[in-house]
Amino acid sequence: MKNFLLNLLIGFCFIYFLFAREIGGIPYLEVIEVLIALLAIMVLCSTASEDWKRIHNELVFSFTLWFVISLLEAVNPGANILGWLSEIRPVALYPFLLIPIGFIIFKSNRQLDVFLIIIVVMSTLGALWGIKQLHIGLSAGERAFVAANPTHLIWGRLRVFSFYNDAGQFGASQASVGLITLLLALAPIKKWKRIVLLICSLLMLYGMLISGTRGALFAVVVGGFVAIILFKKIKPIFLGSVLMLGFLFFLRFTHIGDTNYQIFRLRTAINPSDPSLNVRLATQRNLREYMSTRPFGGGLGVLGFNSRFNYGQYLATVQPDSYFVKVWAMYGIVGLVIWLGIMLYILGKCCAIAWLVEDEILRFKIIALTAGFAGTLFCSYGNEVINNFPSSIVTYISWVFVFISPELQQSKKSNLLN
């Protein structure tokens, strides 16, 4: 039951915004929180004493520390308590609960394969829904969403958002899961499975393109480079590096495909003179002076969506765009250093684990999840990605499976993706 409920939660995190836009009536985000609470209660009530040892690891300890730091931010004089209460849930409470739940519930290769199937299927459906939006049209709920969020219509061109909460999340998620799917397709699996995965990956990469989310490009590039290195073979490293650098050269130094809006917009992602980039850099310069006297930040919820609780404050007027900037503004330079330290440690640990996995097919899966996380983390510099569903829950569960992969090598193999 716990396994089913957690898989249901992962799938629902992809589509809850579709229900919110098209049906409404109830706060669907709180449905997610109810599911998390149910899982937490079930785990607390039914977990054997020896299984609790599974959460004795640095991943759980790191997010326990982050949760405690976030609790202490309640006394930050800069933030409204309602803003703090709203913000602490996605930035600290969800990982604090979901990561230990994942360690308690997930123990087998079959569960890993089911997780991969869920994220590939839901992301493929997301790509197809986005293609529908672009080429067939928007529903009434989607038209209302675009009217309330005009940044999704630039120069009369739709930034596709599918059934995600916005185009930024859609593009970044499509890029990272598309990369995961592509890497899975390269594994030594049955031919028909490889073809299906390649088709799904191409659909997702097209979804990334039509989202108009320029930073999503770096999920593929950075995650791709991480995967290339982790394969530990000279020929793939060389060929992969040449392909990646050639693709970046094509975008930066040619104008081929500029007549296509999606390619043109993607090309601006690596243009240092892009006006949007310069606006963001100017915002960060202005923020640097303000934050120099606030080493512990302005408090949770002081900017971004929850800034509505902090009208009149300078930080409430700042558009963070970058999740790195948001963490800096809320937690200060002290909190940013701690958060970045946690993220980079996890990335390094995941790479080290993937490097040592010996089972060939499992190794492809773990490298794919590690590369997907690397891409999501880098994407979060340009957009709020890693703190929103579905990218957040995909990242948390990916960490769990990477960390338990040494024991998965010793357990019964699954043939779902083999």
Side-chain angles (χ1 to χ4, degrees):
M1 182 60 182
K2 290 180 291 186
N3 187 36
F4 170 79
L5 197 59
L6 183 49
N7 286 330
L8 176 66
L9 172 63
I10 295 167
F12 186 68
C13 284
F14 279 84
I15 59 170
Y16 79 98
F17 221 87
L18 175 65
F19 291 99
R21 268 197 290 262
E22 302 301 332
I23 302 174
I26 64 172
Y28 289 92
L29 182 59
E30 292 181 14
V31 173
I32 291 176
E33 294 178 343
V34 169
L35 291 173
I36 295 173
L38 283 174
L39 276 166
I41 292 170
M42 292 171 69
V43 165
L44 283 172
C45 294
S46 62
T47 301
S49 57
E50 61 270 16
D51 280 346
W52 285 111
K53 297 176 182 178
R54 297 176 61 82
I55 68 171
H56 296 169
N57 58 70
E58 57 267 55
L59 187 55
V60 174
F61 294 155
S62 295
F63 280 93
T64 301
L65 171 64
W66 187 244
F67 182 62
V68 171
I69 292 170
S70 302
L71 287 175
L72 294 175
E73 280 288 336
V75 300
N76 190 312
N80 181 287
I81 191 65
L82 291 177
W84 170 84
L85 186 61
S86 296
E87 195 72 49
I88 194 174
R89 288 141 67 188
V91 303
L93 180 60
Y94 296 166
F96 173 70
L97 293 174
L98 287 169
I99 292 171
I101 287 172
F103 275 109
I104 293 295
I105 294 176
F106 292 134
K107 302 176 182 179
S108 71
N109 280 285
R110 182 179 178 82
Q111 289 171 314
L112 169 58
D113 285 349
V114 170
F115 168 67
L116 291 171
I117 289 170
I118 290 171
I119 65 174
V120 170
V121 168
M122 296 307 298
S123 297
T124 303
L125 291 175
L128 293 172
W129 194 274
I131 293 169
K132 184 276 298 183
Q133 286 181 335
L134 182 65
H135 296 290
I136 298 176
L138 303 177
S139 67
E142 290 164 347
R143 288 195 296 272
F145 173 79
V146 172
N149 298 270
T151 56
H152 285 77
L153 198 63
I154 299 178
W155 303 326
R157 302 277 189 165
L158 178 69
R159 289 184 62 208
V160 171
F161 49 91
S162 185
F163 45 63
Y164 295 64
N165 65 341
D166 60 27
Q169 180 62 218
F170 173 58
S173 178
Q174 290 281 286
S176 61
V177 181
L179 175 64
I180 290 171
T181 308
L182 177 62
L183 293 171
L184 292 175
L186 300 177
I189 56 177
K190 293 178 181 178
K191 185 176 180 180
W192 72 266
K193 293 182 180 181
R194 177 177 290 112
I195 292 171
V196 170
L197 288 170
L198 283 172
I199 292 171
C200 290
S201 177
L202 289 173
L203 285 170
M204 288 179 228
L205 294 177
Y206 181 63
M208 175 201 76
L209 190 65
I210 62 178
S211 74
T213 305
R214 296 168 294 184
L217 167 68
F218 294 102
V220 177
V221 173
V222 173
F225 272 118
V226 168
I228 288 167
I229 293 170
L230 290 176
F231 279 125
K232 297 191 294 186
K233 294 180 180 178
I234 298 299
K235 187 176 179 180
I237 289 175
F238 176 76
L239 292 177
S241 299
V242 169
L243 287 173
M244 285 288 185
L245 293 173
F247 178 61
L248 292 175
F249 180 90
F250 160 77
L251 289 177
R252 181 67 183 91
F253 297 106
T254 77
H255 295 282
I256 299 171
D258 273 357
T259 54
N260 180 286
Y261 170 72
Q262 283 80 25
I263 294 177
F264 175 78
R265 182 164 173 80
L266 189 66
R267 184 165 274 135
T268 63
I270 55 175
N271 181 2
S273 61
D274 178 63
S276 176
L277 173 63
N278 288 319
V279 167
R280 295 186 184 203
L281 294 176
T283 298
Q284 292 174 29
R285 285 194 296 269
N286 296 335
L287 194 58
R288 187 178 298 114
E289 181 178 350
Y290 183 84
M291 294 302 299
S292 64
T293 59
R294 294 165 176 80
F296 299 103
L300 300 191
V302 75
L303 77 171
F305 178 75
N306 291 311
S307 64
R308 65 190 188 278
F309 297 111
N310 294 279
Y311 284 130
Q313 293 195 40
Y314 166 70
L315 286 176
T317 67
V318 174
Q319 292 296 326
D321 295 316
S322 165
Y323 187 59
F324 288 56
V325 171
K326 187 175 184 179
V327 171
W328 175 33
M330 294 194 302
Y331 292 88
I333 189 63
V334 174
L336 177 62
V337 169
I338 293 172
W339 181 80
L340 269 178
I342 291 172
M343 292 296 110
L344 293 176
Y345 175 80
I346 294 172
L347 179 58
K349 179 75 174 184
C350 287
C351 289
I353 293 172
W355 188 270
L356 296 174
V357 172
E358 295 178 354
D359 180 271
E360 188 175 17
I361 293 179
L362 178 62
R363 190 159 163 267
F364 271 88
K365 298 171 187 176
I366 299 307
I367 288 175
L369 293 178
T370 300
F373 162 51
T376 298
L377 178 62
F378 201 89
C379 252
S380 298
Y381 178 76
N383 298 92
E384 288 191 53
V385 175
I386 201 170
N387 61 318
N388 287 323
F389 294 124
S391 291
S392 57
I393 195 167
V394 170
T395 298
Y396 305 151
I397 302 303
S398 294
W399 290 340
V400 170
F401 277 116
V402 173
F403 270 65
I404 68 172
S405 60
E407 71 180 75
L408 295 181
Q409 284 196 110
Q410 312 303 322
S411 64
K412 181 181 178 181
K413 301 296 183 291
S414 169
N415 62 1
L416 286 177
L417 281 181
N418 296 359

